[in-house]
Amino acid sequence: MSTANVKDIPSRLLPTDSYRHAEAPPLEKVRLLVVGDVMLDRYWFGDVSRISPEAPVPVVRIERREERLGGAANVARNAAALGAHCGLLGVVGADEAGDQVERILHESSIHSYLKRDDAISTIIKLRVIGRQQQMVRIDFEEAPTETILRDKLTSYKALLPDYDVIVLSDYNKGSLVDVAEMIRAARAAGKTVMVDPKGDDFSPYAGATMLTPNKSELKRIVGSWKNEEQLTEKAQNLRVELGLEALLLTRSEEGMSLYTGDEVLHVPADAREVFDVSGAGDTVIATMAAMLGAGAPLAEALATANRAGGIVVGKLGTATVTRDELFAHRRRTDDLQS
């Protein structure tokens, strides 16, 4: 399709309750491989009762600590929480934080294909929380070495036959410098390839099945827009230019929009209360990938992913949505019938 024809593609709005009462697809049959920047999210929770005498900053007395999977690992965690058979390929350091990532993966029933890089430290995002508000975030990060990246690419190609859906989670930390080759290999093997993109150039993602940028990420590539018609034209032109089957735009309080060659689907935001948007994009792409892997139509996958995003932003930090939460209505119906 030429970019001149994108204006002729029909558009429709999906109500937030679309497919809410549909039967849950067989997510447990989905084999999903997540590849990308693996991180460890550390949360230090404490009480704030005074200002430091050294500088005009609050003093947080730490009372509790939590560790969660972050980045691509959070995508895998979300997919596993929905019941999908999930594997994770990425790079961590040969350090204590890398050990923690491995431990949490095991506890989450995620198959670990992590590569240990002796030359770097595991990426850590440390958040200090006082009175349920984030006071500061401290990042520790180093790019993987070329030797480890070559080893990872070899492992990736060997794993492709074992998985149906590939999710490439790019946080621009260096683990997906060979993303173009990964996409080509996966598409040649007939796999569905979904990408959460980053950066100022989306051309390496050409040929993927679907991209899932947020508003700021898309704006960095196509420029700003004045109205919905202009946004649609820019999004569709980018989709055609990159040879994508679909482009999913996550729009925060405006919901989500899915651009394909057949139609444009819009769904309003489904959040009752927004507490923390950290990791919401991870939840959306994991849910979308799992639903499509289970054979759900695009519209149903979109509505379900939107519902998952609405649930997770009501939680603190990088959280997940479980299958029971996402299809709670179905569980209640089954209970009533039993």
Side-chain angles (χ1 to χ4, degrees):
M1 176 183 294
S2 69
T3 56
N5 297 328
V6 296
K7 291 182 179 180
D8 301 328
I9 298 175
S11 176
R12 65 186 173 108
L13 177 68
L14 293 176
T16 54
D17 60 353
S18 298
Y19 302 98
R20 192 177 295 273
H21 301 291
E23 185 173 354
L27 298 173
E28 68 282 354
K29 295 182 179 180
V30 178
R31 300 183 64 83
L32 194 154
L33 178 64
V34 180
V35 187
D37 297 302
V38 174
M39 309 175 194
L40 179 65
D41 284 348
R42 284 184 160 148
Y43 293 85
W44 290 3
F45 298 91
D47 179 61
V48 179
S49 58
R50 64 191 179 95
I51 300 298
S52 171
E54 303 167 353
V57 295
V59 175
V60 184
R61 182 169 57 84
I62 301 301
E63 299 173 338
R64 178 169 59 92
R65 303 181 186 189
E66 283 187 19
E67 294 182 328
R68 305 177 189 177
L69 298 175
N74 188 47
V75 178
R77 179 170 167 247
N78 272 271
L82 294 176
H85 175 98
C86 188
L88 175 67
L89 175 62
V91 179
V92 295
D95 52 15
E96 174 268 341
D99 294 341
Q100 288 292 82
V101 171
E102 292 275 17
R103 178 185 61 79
I104 303 173
L105 289 176
H106 178 74
E107 292 173 352
S108 304
S109 299
I110 299 168
H111 295 265
S112 172
Y113 305 108
L114 294 182
K115 301 297 179 182
R116 294 295 191 107
D117 193 335
D118 293 331
I120 68 166
S121 299
T122 300
I123 297 174
I124 298 173
K125 291 184 178 180
L126 170 61
R127 297 171 176 89
V128 180
I129 313 292
R131 293 183 180 175
Q132 296 300 302
Q133 291 198 357
Q134 186 175 148
M135 311 298 292
V136 66
R137 194 183 90 181
I138 304 168
D139 290 2
F140 305 86
E141 60 184 62
E142 297 175 78
T145 59
E146 291 186 11
T147 301
I148 290 294
L149 290 176
R150 285 196 298 269
D151 187 25
K152 181 176 68 68
L153 183 59
T154 300
S155 296
Y156 170 79
K157 292 179 178 179
L159 288 169
L160 280 179
D162 299 329
Y163 290 90
D164 308 311
V165 182
I166 310 299
V167 176
L168 302 174
S169 179
D170 195 349
Y171 274 79
N172 204 25
K173 307 299 183 185
S175 290
L176 287 180
V177 293
D178 43 14
V179 66
E181 187 172 351
M182 288 183 169
I183 292 171
R184 284 194 297 270
R187 295 298 280 161
K191 310 300 179 180
T192 297
V193 181
M194 303 185 62
V195 183
D196 188 359
K198 286 292 183 295
D200 299 323
D201 180 13
F202 280 8
S203 61
Y205 308 125
T209 308
M210 182 185 298
L211 251 62
T212 64
N214 60 33
K215 284 193 300 183
S216 63
E217 291 163 347
L218 182 65
K219 193 171 294 184
R220 195 174 296 125
I221 301 300
V222 303
S224 59
W225 50 85
K226 296 179 180 179
N227 51 47
E228 198 67 34
E229 182 181 1
Q230 195 175 79
L231 166 59
T232 297
E233 184 176 0
K234 286 174 177 282
Q236 288 284 33
N237 285 343
L238 179 64
R239 180 188 62 78
V240 172
E241 178 185 336
L242 295 178
L244 310 172
E245 292 182 16
L247 188 147
L248 173 61
L249 177 62
T250 55
R251 307 177 62 175
S252 189
E253 72 281 356
E254 297 175 343
M256 294 162 55
S257 297
L258 182 68
Y259 304 91
T260 72
D262 298 321
E263 65 178 341
V264 179
L265 295 173
H266 303 286
V267 59
D270 194 23
R272 295 176 180 83
E273 180 181 3
V274 178
F275 186 72
D276 190 342
V277 298
S278 300
D282 297 338
T283 300
V284 167
I285 195 171
T287 305
M288 196 80 181
M291 291 292 291
L292 293 177
L298 270 175
E300 181 179 351
L302 173 66
T304 306
N306 185 61
R307 190 160 66 246
I311 294 171
V312 82
V313 295
K315 303 179 180 183
L316 175 65
T318 47
T320 62
V321 176
T322 66
R323 183 187 176 113
D324 282 348
E325 287 177 305
L326 196 53
F327 299 100
H329 62 275
R330 192 69 199 175
R331 182 164 48 84
R332 289 195 299 269
T333 300
D334 292 343
D335 290 343
L336 289 173
Q337 291 175 347
S338 61

